[in-house]
Amino acid sequence: MNDVLCGLAVNAALPSVLVDRLIAVADAGIAADLVCRADLSHAQVLELASRVEESAVWLAYAGRLTVADVDPVAQPRVALALLDERAGRSEWARVLAADPVVERREKLAACSALPPDVVETLAADSDVRVVAELALWTTPEAAARLAGHPHAEVRRAVAANEATPPAVLAALLTGEGLSPARWCLVCDREETPFVHVPQCPRLGCDLLPGASCDGSHESTVHDMQQMALRNPATPTEAVVSFVDHPSLLLRWALAARPDLPSQVCGQLATDPHPGVRADLAENPAIDDALIRVLASDRDHDVRRGLAHNPHVPLDVLTHLAGAAKIGATLLPRIAAASPDEVKELAQSPNPAARMLLAQRRDLPPAIRDALAADPDAKVVKSIAPHPGLSEAQLRAMLDRHGVRVLAKVAVNPDATPALLEDLARHEPSVQKALREVARHRNATAPALLACLADKQARPIAARHPALPPPVILELLTDTDWQVVQAAAANPSLPLAVMSDLLPQL
């Protein structure tokens, strides 16, 4: 891969005439960057698509190629991309449904809005992978028919399809009204009973670890039940009986459903596995009483899940704030806090609660300023990136808390050029702060030169348009390929240099 040319491919300042020269020498790596350019003309799109096949698929997905540009026989992958985007022609689907390459028929089966006759053809395909892919994405009517397919793998896909009718999903869970499946991927190739060991010594074996069949296709049936439990279209009354199922994975899938009755939630709250309780804790279906029960759970993940619940009461969240180790995250309940609740949190004696509030970026100026002057470094670290803070306020944070808040001050969109220069030269240096300075829109040449001394900040600084052109030229020969690409992508790279870097046609 030519790192310089890959960098030029994404350089926003590269003129159209040089884009032409770059397309003429493009390989797959360069093409992957070129397709992201919004300024490609239609002629350039066609030239790039004809030169690198992979780019034609990417361009089709990006809407840069039309049906008039594509031959479905010569370019089946591109035709499939347009069909996948509902931009292809029905006759293409009919041609591709008979394609001898299984992977293409499988890709076609995943496309939506297929003609009914094509759906019927794919539903009768000789390869179960094609039928299963169709079952995963098809219409309610086709999914209902495929629920009775003799292969369990197809039924598993139907259970995952959110368009499958609720009554059909319920039948897949219980088995009522459906004749038993006759095959699965395990008994297709192995004599039963068979259990696939996790460390299978056979080369090319693609059975999943633990896949098993004793004639009842048990591992596939288990997967089908798990898909149905995770499917929001499955009726509530069909899933509640799994609350005490011996399978951990099935109980775990149940715990995340937002339609659970309170009695089922109460049973899951006592589940022996903390993963089940953690997913339940984050579930908006649980009521206030159960939230308070889970708040005293001894497992860290349960308490953290509860903190992410959008309905957690503020007093519970304040209690959890210090113990759950939530980190720098804007929690749903904090984001939805009313103006009165915002005032209450800002005045909380618990610094962890003030820290959570400080993650918001829409605070009233008075509350923002009060948090900026907070005596706790964690609170100040959270509020430091908030827009609207003055240079004096940001410098006061640094004076009080030093390196603990340095990187977050550098993130602030209103940090001035002078402040960024001081942050870049700070002793001791803070690597994360240097990376933030290097990507800041207000960074100056002196600040960026200081960032270049850090290995991780160097490629970020190399792309910044405020970097002096002579320095950019030096970076084109750097030993780090990331730095070279970034320098070549720098829009301040002189036009004459861009031209010299490209092969002459």
Side-chain angles (χ1 to χ4, degrees), residues 309-315 317-318 330-346 353 356-358 360 362-364 367:
N309 191 306
H311 298 152
V312 60
L314 281 184
D315 65 305
L317 184 56
T318 300
L330 177 59
L331 297 174
R333 183 63 180 86
I334 297 296
S338 68
D340 287 342
E341 290 173 331
V342 167
K343 292 178 183 178
E344 177 186 341
L345 287 166
L356 293 180
L357 176 65
R360 283 183 58 156
D362 60 348
L363 294 173
I367 290 179

Side-chain angles (χ1 to χ4, degrees), residues 40 71 99 108 158 178 185 267 281 347 412 427 429 479 495:
L40 291 179
D71 179 349
D99 195 297
L108 176 65
V158 172
L178 294 175
L185 294 179
Q267 287 181 259
Q347 297 169 1
N412 192 288
E427 291 294 340
S429 63
T479 56
L495 181 59

Side-chain angles (χ1 to χ4, degrees), residues 90-289:
S90 297
E91 54 265 32
W92 293 1
R94 296 184 177 96
V95 170
L96 290 164
D99 195 297
V101 179
V102 173
E103 288 74 18
R104 292 175 188 162
R105 303 199 308 274
E106 190 176 1
K107 176 66 177 176
L108 176 65
C111 297
S112 57
L114 292 172
D117 59 308
V118 173
V119 172
E120 293 302 319
T121 299
L122 295 171
D125 199 279
S126 59
D127 195 299
V128 71
R129 291 174 293 176
V130 176
V131 186
E133 192 67 20
L134 177 70
L136 185 60
W137 304 105
T138 195
T139 62
E141 297 77 17
R145 293 196 302 273
L146 289 171
H149 196 278
H151 204 288
E153 188 67 16
V154 175
R155 299 187 186 199
R156 185 202 65 79
V158 172
N161 187 340
E162 294 186 12
T164 300
V168 175
L169 290 167
L172 288 170
L173 268 181
T174 63
E176 296 178 5
L178 294 175
S179 58
R182 290 187 289 183
W183 307 290
C184 69
L185 294 179
V186 178
C187 60
D188 276 349
R189 63 189 80 177
E190 306 290 346
E191 290 188 15
T192 58
F194 178 85
V195 178
H196 190 230
V197 296
Q199 290 80 32
C200 179
R202 297 177 298 182
L203 296 176
C205 181
D206 59 358
L207 284 177
L208 294 175
S212 62
C213 182
D214 60 4
S216 65
H217 325 298
E218 64 272 15
S219 65
T220 308
V221 169
H222 181 274
D223 289 348
M224 179 183 69
Q225 292 173 325
Q226 189 175 358
M227 294 300 102
L229 288 170
R230 293 189 183 279
N231 193 326
T234 304
T236 305
E237 59 271 18
V239 305
V240 293
S241 62
F242 285 81
V243 67
D244 55 0
H245 197 281
S247 168
L248 164 63
L249 293 178
L250 298 186
R251 300 195 311 275
W252 209 330
L254 181 65
R257 289 186 62 95
D259 58 347
L260 297 178
S262 58
Q263 181 182 357
V264 174
C265 290
Q267 287 181 259
L268 291 171
T270 63
D271 195 279
H273 196 280
V276 174
R277 303 197 307 275
D279 275 16
L280 178 71
E282 197 170 346
N283 192 330
I286 62 176
D287 58 25
D288 188 88

Side-chain angles (χ1 to χ4, degrees), residues 317-323 345 347-355 376 379:
L317 184 56
T318 300
H319 170 72
L320 291 169
L345 287 166
Q347 297 169 1
S348 172
N350 185 348
R354 303 196 302 274
M355 179 188 71
D376 192 285
V379 178

Side-chain angles (χ1 to χ4, degrees), residues 471-495:
V471 178
I472 302 174
L473 293 180
E474 291 180 17
L475 295 174
L476 289 172
T477 59
D478 199 88
T479 56
D480 185 337
W481 67 269
Q482 296 179 89
V483 175
V484 173
Q485 277 197 13
N490 196 313
S492 294
L493 188 66
L495 181 59

